[in-house]
Amino acid sequence: MSVMLSASGLSRRFGGIQAVSNMGLEVATGSITGLIGPNGAGKSTLFNLLSGVIRPQAGKVLYKGQDVTRLAPYKRARLGMIRTFQLSREFGRLTVLENLMLSPQQQLGEQLFPLFSKSRAVAQADDVVYERALEVMEIAALTDLRDKYAADLSGGQKKLLELARTLMIDCDLILLDEPGAGVNPALMGTLMDMIRRLNTDYGKTFLIVEHDMDLIGKLCDPVVVMTEGSFLSAGPFDDIREDPRVIEAYLGGVLLD
């Protein structure tokens, strides 16, 4: 399989703390790759380095073979690399439908001049975005909530909305930061089904950082393990959970289950 995202030698220090040290990983095209590790392992910092939220002090990030190490997050997004956050960042005063319609980048109606000189083209483009939003709401099981304000959604519904917003963008790689956090069991199955569908039916590649080992075990192959800011191991989840080094990293021998 081809490699969609790769990192090598990534390092980042904050004051006297070495958050990430000489870290590397690969995300194969079409995979759902998991990233795990004990608290303080450096997963969140690595995610920020991969997505461009912060820059590494050493190392390189390649997306589809292109060096994006110093690109801003919005420039990586335009290349097709999208990232979500542990705490959903929806527009609370907009409805579910409006949140989705706002998501596509560089819409014609965002510019002042076309609003007057190309009003018909702007209206046609808006119609296309609207129809796409209806399709995405159906995929994400959000149709019944289309007119509900995002601020009034439950934690799980906000996660579905955030994931749905990535579908409104022309992207190939989605970095998910703890998608299961704050999601109740009733919606967890819906969330996992949506990730699988985006992967199998829409060809989206995923890198998921998550503490919920049940979600990782059911969704991800392979799984990458970090500890103390560095790479520890990688492989199928069943192999990872039996790896003595991984078990030791998780607080001295607690078996992952």
Side-chain angles (χ1 to χ4, degrees):
M1 297 178 67
S2 63
V3 175
M4 181 167 288
L5 178 70
S6 65
S8 59
L10 288 183
S11 295
R12 179 71 194 203
R13 176 183 292 273
F14 298 100
I17 299 175
Q18 187 72 47
V20 173
S21 177
N22 195 33
M23 178 64 190
L25 86 169
E26 291 185 347
V27 177
T29 301
S31 71
I32 303 178
T33 300
L35 176 64
I36 67 172
N39 290 332
K43 304 183 297 298
S44 294
T45 301
L46 176 63
F47 239 53
N48 287 333
L49 293 172
L50 294 174
S51 59
V53 174
I54 59 176
R55 288 184 176 178
Q57 292 161 328
K60 184 180 293 187
V61 178
L62 300 180
Y63 174 65
K64 295 183 178 179
Q66 178 179 343
D67 189 342
V68 297
T69 309
R70 304 191 70 80
L71 284 187
Y74 77 92
K75 292 184 178 180
R76 300 185 198 209
R78 289 177 180 174
L79 292 175
M81 180 178 172
I82 302 295
R83 178 258 168 93
T84 69
F85 292 84
Q86 181 178 350
L87 297 177
S88 301
R89 298 189 175 187
E90 72 287 339
F91 296 98
R93 295 185 179 181
L94 299 182
T95 66
V96 168
L97 175 61
E98 290 167 340
N99 266 270
L100 292 178
M101 292 190 66
L102 192 62
S103 297
Q105 304 177 77
Q106 298 179 295
Q107 296 188 57
L108 189 60
E110 293 176 352
Q111 305 170 41
L112 183 61
F113 182 71
L115 289 175
F116 298 98
S117 64
K118 300 179 180 180
S119 58
R120 180 173 297 181
V122 170
Q124 291 173 341
D126 285 347
D127 288 342
V128 171
V129 172
Y130 174 75
E131 292 299 326
R132 178 59 177 162
L134 296 183
E135 295 175 5
V136 168
M137 283 190 293
E138 185 68 27
I139 294 169
L142 291 171
T143 300
D144 292 343
L145 302 171
R146 58 170 285 170
D147 297 319
K148 191 169 185 177
Y149 289 112
D152 297 330
L153 299 178
S154 70
Q157 290 167 341
K158 289 179 180 179
K159 291 284 186 177
L160 288 172
L161 175 58
E162 186 165 31
L163 191 52
R165 286 170 60 186
T166 68
L167 253 190
M168 296 295 296
I169 302 170
D170 186 16
C171 67
D172 295 313
L173 174 65
I174 303 174
L175 308 180
L176 293 183
D177 190 354
E178 298 204 29
V183 179
N184 64 49
L187 280 178
M188 184 66 80
T190 301
L191 180 69
M192 289 195 292
D193 286 344
M194 185 178 177
I195 293 172
R196 290 192 191 98
R197 186 175 179 187
L198 293 182
N199 177 249
T200 58
D201 296 351
Y202 294 86
K204 306 297 183 183
T205 299
F206 287 88
L207 175 62
I208 302 176
V209 60
E210 180 59 67
H211 287 290
D212 187 330
M213 291 300 113
D214 184 59
L215 184 150
I216 289 289
K218 289 179 178 179
L219 281 181
C220 300
D221 184 19
V223 177
V224 178
V225 187
M226 286 184 73
T227 186
E228 298 180 349
S230 301
F231 175 88
L232 178 62
S233 183
F237 181 74
D238 287 343
D239 293 345
I240 288 297
R241 68 195 299 267
E242 301 292 342
D243 189 327
R245 298 171 301 165
V246 176
I247 296 172
E248 181 63 29
Y250 273 84
L251 302 179
V254 178
L255 185 66
L256 301 178
D257 56 20

